[in-house]
């Protein structure tokens, strides 16, 4: 993983297994929301065996680029690994997103995490160790669910969706 300073400049690397703990250093990540041709967004439920936030609903997928890896390539790689999806139309929509959150087990997320949107022409074939459920949802339904029951969603998606709702115009297949 790429470690960052407070200006989001790379300052080193570390293996992922050594980074996510109670003292997680700031590091580079990404979040991606995948839409289908009908304008529905893909939601995933994190596998029960995940180290952080197991079993919660979240955006389509997240990940970390490797040292020197182009962000768009990292997103494409992760879409294939986690969801078995080819994504197209990749676009950065929240370039400055950063968050910290602590899960019930005490593991801290501390990420500079630009948010992207993409398109997919097929249903996912998720890796069971990553995703235990998925569904396509109307964007307006996600925004409504997030406002009524935020506790069933990941903390990063709780922060991202309201900002995306202001940024994206989604409906009738348009973003």
């Amino acid at each position: 993983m790429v470690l960052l300073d407070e200006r989001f400049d790379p300052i080193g690397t570390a293996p992922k297994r050594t980074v996510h703990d109670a003292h997680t250093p700031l590091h580079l990540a990404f979040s991606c929301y995948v839409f289908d041709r009908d304008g529905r967004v893909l939601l995933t439920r994190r596998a029960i065996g995940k180290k952080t936030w197991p079993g919660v609903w979240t955006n389509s997928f997240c990940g970390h680029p490797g040292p020197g890896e182009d962000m768009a390539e990292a997103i494409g790689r992760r879409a294939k690994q986690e969801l078995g999806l080819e994504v197209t139309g990749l676009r950065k929509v929240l370039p400055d997103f950063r968050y910290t959150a602590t899960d019930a087990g005490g593991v801290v997320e501390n990420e500079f995490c630009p948010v992207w949107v993409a398109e997919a022409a097929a249903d996912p074939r998720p890796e069971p160790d990553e995703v235990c459920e998925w569904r396509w949802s109307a964007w307006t339904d996600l925004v409504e669910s997030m406002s009524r029951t935020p506790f069933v969603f990941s903390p990063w998606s709780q922060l991202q969706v309201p900002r995306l709702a202001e940024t994206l115009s989604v409906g009738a297949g348009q973003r």
Side-chain angles (χ1 to χ4, degrees):
M1 295 179 45
V2 178
L3 305 179
L4 304 173
D5 66 18
E6 289 299 319
R7 293 181 319 229
F8 310 133
D9 292 326
I11 58 170
T13 63
K16 182 179 176 182
R17 70 183 183 290
T18 67
V19 171
H20 290 102
D21 59 25
H23 307 287
T24 302
L26 179 61
H27 59 278
L28 184 59
F30 61 82
S31 287
C32 189
Y33 289 77
V34 176
F35 291 84
D36 70 5
R37 291 182 178 142
D38 296 326
R40 298 177 303 171
V41 63
L42 176 63
L43 303 177
T44 60
R45 186 170 167 228
R46 293 171 60 82
I48 301 302
K50 295 289 279 182
K51 181 176 181 178
T52 58
W53 288 277
V56 301
W57 285 93
T58 193
N59 57 299
S60 305
F61 67 99
C62 298
H64 304 90
E69 184 178 24
D70 176 78
M71 187 68 81
E73 290 176 8
I75 293 167
R77 172 183 52 81
R78 193 70 185 143
K80 288 178 193 170
Q81 288 175 342
E82 187 168 323
L83 297 173
L85 278 179
E86 294 281 337
V87 295
T88 60
L90 196 57
R91 186 167 53 102
K92 191 184 321 181
V93 291
L94 296 177
D96 62 346
F97 184 77
R98 182 199 175 164
Y99 78 101
T100 59
T102 305
D103 82 348
V107 176
V108 174
E109 284 284 8
N110 183 14
E111 297 183 338
F112 173 63
C113 185
V115 180
W116 299 70
V117 295
E119 298 172 2
D123 285 340
R125 297 174 317 281
E127 179 63 39
D129 290 341
E130 298 289 340
V131 173
C132 64
E133 288 184 72
W134 62 271
R135 68 180 32 113
W136 294 105
S137 173
W139 179 255
T140 54
D141 291 347
L142 172 59
V143 172
E144 179 70 16
S145 294
M146 187 75 64
S147 70
R148 291 182 183 270
T149 58
F151 51 86
V152 302
F153 295 96
S154 67
W156 55 91
S157 65
Q158 291 176 35
L159 297 169
Q160 293 166 349
V161 167
R163 285 185 61 189
L164 287 169
E166 295 172 0
T167 303
L168 303 176
S169 86
V170 179
Q174 297 179 344
R175 280 177 291 302

